[in-house]
Structure formats: structure tokens, C-alpha cells
Amino acid sequence: MTKWLNRLIKPNTQMSEKEKINTEEKILQAAEEIFVKDGHSGARMQQIADKAGINKSLLHYYYRSKDKLFSTVFKFIFSKLASDIMNIFDSEEDIFGKLEKFIENYLRILMKNPIIPMFILNELNKKGNNLATIIIKGSNINLNKFEEIIQKEIDAGNIKNINPKSLIINILALCVFPIIGRPLTEEIVFNGDTKKYDEYLGQRKDEVFAIIKSTITIEK
Amino acid sequence: MTKWLNRLIKPNTQMSEKEKINTEEKILQAAEEIFVKDGHSGARMQQIADKAGINKSLLHYYYRSKDKLFSTVFKFIFSKLASDIMNIFDSEEDIFGKLEKFIENYLRILMKNPIIPMFILNELNKKGNNLATIIIKGSNINLNKFEEIIQKEIDAGNIKNINPKSLIINILALCVFPIIGRPLTEEIVFNGDTKKYDEYLGQRKDEVFAIIKSTITIEK
DNA sequence: AAACGGTTTAACCATTTGGTCAAAGATATG
DNA sequence: CATATCTTTGACCAAATGGTTAAACCGTTT
């Protein structure tokens, strides 16, 4: 009973055996794949068990219910993405270089995980979802730091006096939309030409940076 | 047997009685509400029947299966939104005025139906979804016209030599993201302040137009 | 080897869910 | 009115689904 209780209280407690971790890990990986692909209500416990190569009962042994398993997976995915993003602003360049790096890295991450943002937005938009606030507040995302940096640059007269909040939203919008809107935009803008769309995404970072740059540059 | 067959072949056939349309209409409205709120896999047929105030069997009588009902609803919603958008470009102003009107109207529509875009994007991103191509191709969305207009302006030297496809994507991105990303951005950028976010959305159109304008304006 | 605690499984369960069917109610038609 | 067609309902069904349980399994400790 001890280990079991331990896992509930301190989920990250390391277990003495190294092999046994594998099951929990396998479940998590399988669940991640299925949940991301099908969403909470679309995913099936049996499907996850099959993908993990284990009995369905084991899912309930390690994670008591579908909801618990889901929220674990969601938290995991979100924090992984969030930390990836947050680690980006540590470069020592000027504000323009920082923004360029940020956009470049963010787009790279999104393109490497193209279904993750849709998954997150989709679940966040579900009615009666307290998960959003809970998880986001629990995450290490800290945009105050970002806003401070921008404000400092404005005060120093290096960039236009824009709203830092808008800047964030615009960057996110311009980066995220081509990924989550792909089925739509690829079809309606690129007439379904997948290769062309890939090319487009490849140079999207330059486009986004150019736009963002123009919104903050002081005209002479 | 005739009417029933008729409905399958020509779904929009008007029926002789005026009252009887009500049931089909009630189902459609209820289904629209439920599907948009819960998505395809989250919605329940019983739920829809209850909301429509009818027997569940009637759902299957009018629309043979859940999938058929869903695709009908989806098609309906999508074309409604699409035509709303397409009817916007008929103003007689110059290109800047046209774009401003477009952004203004598009944002207004989105804000009036804030969960529709998420619904559409979400379903379009489902694996194995042929609905996307089918419905989009069947819609009256025609961006060639838009691209032509832009190209003409470029040739006339009125705007910068930009990629019309990028212009479309940027407008969509800047308009749609604040709506579909609201749970996220409201929390992480506005610290959960709903009123502030509403205010922000209220003046978003000016922001978006300013950005779009700056991306096409020729600097002297 | 026996006892113990964590792990895994198969069988099972209650409920939900999409869907069917036969029959009853309407409504038009001859 | 009688007949045929269309509409609506309640009872029912098979499959799916999240979840439980008792027992088997297995490594460790004594």
C-alpha cells in the first residue's frame, strides 16, 4: 500500500526498480499520443492500453480514471511546451535579435509538434473547463518578465510605444495560426498543395519577424 | 416513400406543409448548438433530441446517422460563416478602405460567434477527415478574386509587392487567434481579467488594421 | 520456503450510446 | 370513409465504454 499511496501523493517519487518505471512511462506516452490525436472525449481507454501493450486495468491501477490520466497528460504536454518557450528569452542580443530568436524558435517548436497547439486550444475551449486556469497558473509561464523587457525598451526610446500585451498576442497569432489553421488555409489559400505550404512555413519566420519588427520600429 | 427519398437526394427540397418543416429545423438548431459546444465525439444524440424537444428516433428518421447529422450541421455553419465573409468585399472604397472594412466586419462576426471558429478548426484538424476538402471545395469561398485585387494594386504601385497569400493568412491569424486563444491569452496575458479582455477585443480591429496597413504601405 | 507487497491479468459489470423496429398518430388523397 | 403515405413514439438491442474485482504473478525479505 505504501508505494501506491506514495505515487498518489508524490507522483514523481522515484521507484527503487528501474525497469518498473517503464509501464507508467509507456502508459503516459501512449496516452499522450492518443489524447493529442483524438482529444479527451474521442480517446478510448482500450486504445491507450493497446498502444501501451498492456491490460486496460493497468491504466486504472496507475491513473485512477480517464480524467486523471488526461489531466496528467495535459499538464505534462503543456509544461513541456511552456518551458521550451520560456527558455528562449535568455539570449544576450538586443530586443530585435531577441524577438527574432523567439519567433524562430517558437515556430520551429510548433512545426515539430504541429498538433499540440490545436490539442491545447481545443481542450482549453471546452465548457466547464477548470483545467485551463489550474494548469496555466501552475505553469512556469511568466510574461511579466517579457512585458518588463518591452517596457524598458520603450522607455529607452529604442522601440515605438506599443502595448506589450498586443505584441505578445500578435506574435502568438502569427506563429500559431498557420499551424492550427493548416487544413483550412492549405486548402483555401494554397488549393491543397501540401508541398507549397511546407515551403511557405519554412520561410514564415522571416515574414513574421518582418511584421513584428515593423510594428515596433520607430519611423524617422 | 417519395418524400423520404426526395430529402435524401435533394436535401433542400421544400415540403408542401409549412408546419412540418419545424421539426427538421428544430433538430438542426439543437444539433448546431450541441455540436458546436461539445464537438462531434462529445455530443450525444439524446442530448440533441432533448434540446429539440423530440424523440431520439426522429433524429434518425430525418438524418440517418450521427455522422450525417453532423456533416449537415457542419456544412451549414461553415457556409453561413463563409458567405458572411465573402459578402464583405463588395464595397467601393480603395484597397485600404476595403481591408479595413473586411477586418472590422470579420472581427465583428467572430466576436458574435466566438465558439464557431474553434469548432471549425477543431473538426478540420481531426485525423482522417475528408470533410475539410469536401466542404471547403463545396463552399463559395473564392480567394482568387481577393488575390487578383491585391495583385492589381501591386501592379498599379499602390501597395508594396507582398505575397497576397501571406496577406490573407496574416489577416486571418490576427483576427482569429484572439478569439480561439482567449482562454489561454486571457489567463496568461491578461491574468484572467475578463472585462479587460473584452475592452481589448473592442479595439482590436484598429490594431489589426494598423499592422496590415503597415505591411502593405510603401515607405517613402 | 513462506510471507509480503507491488504488479498484471482476465473476467465481469453497469451504464451509455448510436441505432432499429413495429406500431400508433397524423395527414393527405381518391 | 378508406387507403396510402408521412410523422412520431416507446420499447428494445448490440456494441462500446469506463471502471471494478479477485486472483495470479513475481521479486524481495525474513
Side-chain angles (χ1 to χ4, degrees):
Chain A
M1 191 71 100
T2 327
K3 275 191 189 175
W4 173 80
L5 203 62
N6 230 353
R7 193 159 41 238
L8 271 189
I9 299 169
K10 301 191 287 177
N12 290 330
T13 301
Q14 230 160 351
M15 264 164 270
S16 46
E17 315 90 0
K18 12 192 158 155
E19 300 297 320
K20 286 304 163 47
I21 287 183
N22 234 339
T23 298
E24 223 170 327
E25 192 57 29
K26 270 193 304 186
I27 291 178
L28 221 59
Q29 282 175 11
E32 183 178 340
E33 196 177 327
I34 302 291
F35 275 134
V36 163
K37 182 157 61 80
D38 298 337
H40 177 282
S41 54
R44 303 290 162 223
M45 293 297 267
Q46 187 60 57
Q47 215 182 344
I48 294 172
D50 289 347
K51 175 133 288 180
I54 51 145
N55 192 288
K56 196 181 58 163
S57 302
L58 260 193
L59 296 183
H60 292 92
Y61 175 73
Y62 282 104
Y63 310 87
R64 306 279 276 177
S65 68
K66 188 186 187 184
D67 283 335
K68 284 245 175 57
L69 176 57
F70 178 81
S71 79
T72 305
V73 167
F74 186 91
K75 212 177 296 181
F76 178 70
I77 289 178
F78 187 82
S79 65
K80 197 169 58 176
L81 194 68
S83 77
D84 268 357
I85 292 167
M86 280 300 97
N87 289 338
I88 275 169
F89 245 97
D90 298 334
S91 67
E92 291 299 333
E93 318 191 36
D94 71 342
I95 185 66
F96 291 94
K98 275 197 175 100
L99 286 174
E100 189 171 14
K101 276 262 156 55
F102 180 88
I103 290 165
E104 202 176 317
N105 282 310
Y106 189 40
L107 261 173
R108 189 171 37 74
I109 292 170
L110 290 179
M111 286 169 67
K112 206 182 290 177
N113 311 283
I115 46 179
I116 299 290
M118 195 59 213
F119 166 73
I120 291 177
L121 287 184
N122 183 29
E123 297 301 333
L124 248 40
N125 272 287
K126 290 258 170 78
K127 40 86 209 250
N129 195 343
N130 39 5
L131 217 59
T133 21
I134 293 172
I135 288 179
I136 293 174
K137 279 179 179 164
S139 77
N140 53 352
I141 280 200
N142 184 7
L143 291 179
N144 296 338
K145 187 183 154 196
F146 178 90
E147 293 196 35
E148 277 170 27
I149 293 176
I150 299 299
Q151 194 55 52
K152 210 174 287 178
E153 296 288 331
I154 293 174
D155 295 339
N158 296 332
I159 62 175
K160 229 193 278 186
N161 182 21
I162 45 95
N163 179 359
K165 293 187 198 304
S166 294
L167 184 58
I168 296 172
I169 290 178
N170 292 333
I171 293 175
L172 294 183
L174 293 170
C175 289
V176 170
F177 185 78
I179 308 290
I180 64 176
R182 175 160 193 166
L184 185 73
T185 46
E186 182 175 303
E187 191 59 44
I188 138 185
V189 181
F190 284 81
N191 298 313
D193 192 331
T194 300
K195 208 179 278 182
K196 278 266 165 58
Y197 203 82
D198 279 330
E199 282 173 29
Y200 176 71
L201 283 184
Q203 54 87 62
R204 175 77 184 162
K205 63 181 199 297
D206 299 324
E207 240 178 72
V208 173
F209 178 62
I211 297 170
I212 294 301
K213 190 177 161 192
S214 83
T215 65
I216 61 173
T217 301
I218 299 174
E219 317 101 41
K220 297 158 191 173
Chain B
M1 190 71 98
T2 327
K3 275 193 190 174
W4 173 81
L5 204 62
N6 230 354
R7 193 159 43 239
L8 271 190
I9 298 168
K10 303 190 283 175
N12 289 332
T13 302
Q14 230 159 350
M15 262 163 273
S16 46
E17 317 88 1
K18 28 216 140 140
E19 300 296 322
K20 286 302 161 51
I21 287 184
N22 233 339
T23 299
E24 224 170 329
E25 192 57 32
K26 270 193 302 185
I27 292 178
L28 220 58
Q29 280 175 11
E32 182 178 343
E33 195 177 327
I34 302 291
F35 274 135
V36 163
K37 184 157 61 80
D38 297 339
H40 177 282
S41 53
R44 304 288 160 225
M45 293 296 267
Q46 188 59 57
Q47 216 182 343
I48 295 172
D50 289 347
K51 176 133 285 179
I54 52 146
N55 192 288
K56 196 182 57 163
S57 305
L58 259 194
L59 295 184
H60 292 92
Y61 176 73
Y62 282 104
Y63 310 87
R64 306 279 277 176
S65 66
K66 187 186 186 183
D67 284 334
K68 283 246 174 55
L69 176 57
F70 179 81
S71 79
T72 305
V73 167
F74 186 92
K75 212 177 297 182
F76 178 70
I77 290 178
F78 188 82
S79 65
K80 197 170 56 174
L81 195 66
S83 77
D84 268 357
I85 292 168
M86 281 299 95
N87 288 338
I88 274 168
F89 246 98
D90 299 334
S91 66
E92 292 297 333
E93 318 192 35
D94 70 343
I95 185 65
F96 292 95
K98 276 199 174 98
L99 286 174
E100 190 171 12
K101 276 264 157 51
F102 180 88
I103 290 165
E104 203 176 315
N105 282 308
Y106 189 40
L107 261 173
R108 190 172 35 74
I109 292 170
L110 290 180
M111 285 169 67
K112 206 182 289 176
N113 312 282
I115 47 179
I116 300 291
M118 195 61 214
F119 167 73
I120 291 177
L121 287 183
N122 183 26
E123 297 301 333
L124 249 38
N125 272 286
K126 289 258 171 77
K127 38 93 213 246
N129 195 340
N130 40 2
L131 216 60
T133 22
I134 294 171
I135 288 178
I136 294 174
K137 278 177 181 164
S139 78
N140 54 349
I141 280 202
N142 184 8
L143 291 179
N144 297 338
K145 186 183 155 198
F146 179 89
E147 293 195 35
E148 276 169 30
I149 294 177
I150 299 300
Q151 193 56 53
K152 209 174 288 178
E153 296 289 332
I154 293 175
D155 295 341
N158 296 333
I159 60 175
K160 229 192 280 187
N161 182 21
I162 45 96
N163 180 1
K165 294 187 197 304
S166 293
L167 184 59
I168 297 171
I169 291 179
N170 292 333
I171 294 175
L172 294 182
L174 293 170
C175 289
V176 170
F177 185 79
I179 309 289
I180 63 176
R182 175 161 194 165
L184 186 73
T185 46
E186 180 174 304
E187 191 58 46
I188 135 185
V189 182
F190 285 80
N191 298 313
D193 191 331
T194 299
K195 207 179 279 182
K196 278 266 165 60
Y197 202 83
D198 279 331
E199 283 173 28
Y200 176 71
L201 283 184
Q203 54 88 62
R204 174 78 185 163
K205 63 181 198 297
D206 299 323
E207 240 178 73
V208 174
F209 177 62
I211 296 171
I212 293 301
K213 190 178 163 195
S214 82
T215 65
I216 61 173
T217 301
I218 299 174
E219 318 102 40
K220 298 157 189 174

